[in-house]
Amino acid sequence: MAAGGGGSGDPLAPAGVPCAFSPHSQAYFALASTDGHLRVWETTSNRLHQEYVPSAHLSGTCTCLAWAPARLQAKESPQRKKRKSEAVGTSNQTDLLALGTAIGSILLYSTVKGELHSKLISGGHDNRVNCIQWHQDSGCLYSCSDDKHIVEWNVQTCKVKCKWKGDNSSVSSLCISPDGKMLLSAGRTIKLWVLETKEVYRHFTGHATPVSSLMFTTIRPPNESQPFDGITGLYFLSGAVHDRLLNVWQVRSENKEKSAVMSFTVTDEPVYIDLTLSENKEEPVKLAVVCRDGQVHLFEHILNGYCKKPLTSNCTIQIATPGKGKKSTPKPIPILAAGFCSDKMSLLLVYGSWFQPTIERVALNTREPHMCLVRDISNCWAPKVETAITKVRTPVMNSEAKVLVPGIPGHHAAIKPAPPHTEQVESKRKSGGNEVSIEERLGAMDIDTHKKGKEDLQTNSFPVLLTQGLESNDFEMLNKVLQTRNLNLIKKTVLRMPLHTIIPLLQELTKRLQGHPNSAVLMIQWLKCVLTVHASYLSTLPDLVPQLGTLYQLMESRVKTFQKLSHLHGKLILLITQVTASEKTKETTSPGQKAKLVYEEESSEEESDDEIADKDSDDNWDEDEEENESEKDEDDAEEEDEDAEGKDEENGEDRDRASEKELNGDSDLDPENESEEE
């Protein structure tokens, strides 16, 4: 009944940890923690019963588990006879526990023997196992995986009985019908299979995210007037990752309605789900849903067809610390799992930490809409493990074994010979003389960062330089590589980069893209090469979206501003062309303009004086021409004596003014005045 679980880097993996109560009156609680250990706890005494560490527990972490059903374990089998000879009074003990791993193998663990019973490997899955279900009667085992296949196993022979493709994407969950003739599987859609023929009986639309739990909620249909074919009219429940709605579906004989008939709403993603089956139409279904936020939601509802509005919980259970003293405040304690007891009126709660959980039986009071249990778990952190039954296997290592330390693959640190004065330092320390100073110790270690940086930069291998620069965050080393303009060299460098350095390289390029525009032009070439060469690797990373979010937003904002800048660029070009065109028209002079600035020697004094005196009265030139001439004669006669002396000076000033006007391109005379002057 577990929702399965998490521990992987996949954002769409189910939350929580694989765990389940045993079918025999829930005497045991099995828990596969993220460190690869399987722990079995006694629910009555809250004591660690057994602990098992698989041989490949780090590479093959347990992803799901399932207890063998009670009916199957009650049957006589060769294994049961062996157990009777081994231990007395074990008839009520649980038998096999199936464990699915991340590498595709399935382990069968015997809780009575306290060791591994068998392995199901050959011909099965070649990827992560997502869900395991036991058949109630035949003793077969059904498993689904990320490799898109569903496998039917023969537990006695440990071989594949049947294998077929369950979906176009990974199959995330399985459930067997109450009569054992049908199998529910969930991938992109929920499918109902006929186990005998392995054909699809019905399709259901499913959820937007991978389905983490599937289970039937009724044994017989509510309407008992029609003959029952084993499946038509039954209801089943489905919960999905990141989905706060649990959908209820009805299996119909006619293939009309594919959507859910009702839904239950919870506060967070479901982590663990348990329910009591409804055996007749008057009996309500009781549902306990443990959410990621550590709360338990209890539902009680009679399944009677379509319900449009999502149903809320009848009761919510939380656990908190007492919060002793003035300063300390009560803190919530997460609930990890919850299972109904056989009387259906009490609930087994598992809360605390995965390493040392506390198991408690709580009586249900549905009248209270919200229950908050105050528990002090400060004294429960020390694990109570009995070494006699603990099955922890430590690896045996011989002298020929090599220990691999983390680092860059294929690169080794250069071993420097010890400097000669190191021996003196050691002799001082041994002889008990003066204490060696920090400076002498650093000198003995020969630490010189500047010298080291220069030595490292002597190599011409760009991939090695770039890898070292990214790991040590060396600005000088990164600049030497990233400032190259050779496109062929950039492509070769990106091709030879180790995969674990691709994300740090993208982060460094993003940082440099935000700097100077000239450096951004170079970084774009690197970015283009990285995204084209390593596209297949990047597409496999589950958390790629948050890691490259800054880069995407940066590119998006630049692309948006590019359109505005291009509009502005076009307008500026229009303005500049208009300005240059107007300047050219001003610079072009008419053919007779030069004559205005040349003064002949034979010209009379009157003309030069008239030009100076009447520069501002050019508009009235044509109208008052005769009057001006008479006035000039009178004025010249009166001022003839005064002007005689300064005539040469004025002529010189006129020439200077004329030359200045010619240099500046100014002209007081209009085209109208040219004809008059000529």
Side-chain angles (χ1 to χ4, degrees), residues 162 305 329 416 503 656 671:
C162 183
T329 55
K416 293 184 180 180
I503 291 295
D656 292 340

Side-chain angles (χ1 to χ4, degrees), residues 21-22 25-29 42-44 272 274 288 290 296 335-342 345-351 358-364:
F21 288 99
S22 65
S25 67
Q26 297 174 316
Y28 297 101
F29 178 71
E42 294 179 5
T43 55
T44 52
Y272 190 96
D274 193 27
V290 181
V296 175
I335 300 173
L336 311 176
F340 285 102
C341 298
S342 54
M345 296 304 295
S346 54
L347 203 64
L348 272 176
L349 294 180
V350 182
Y351 57 89
T358 305
I359 305 171
E360 183 183 346
R361 184 167 178 164
V362 178
L364 294 179

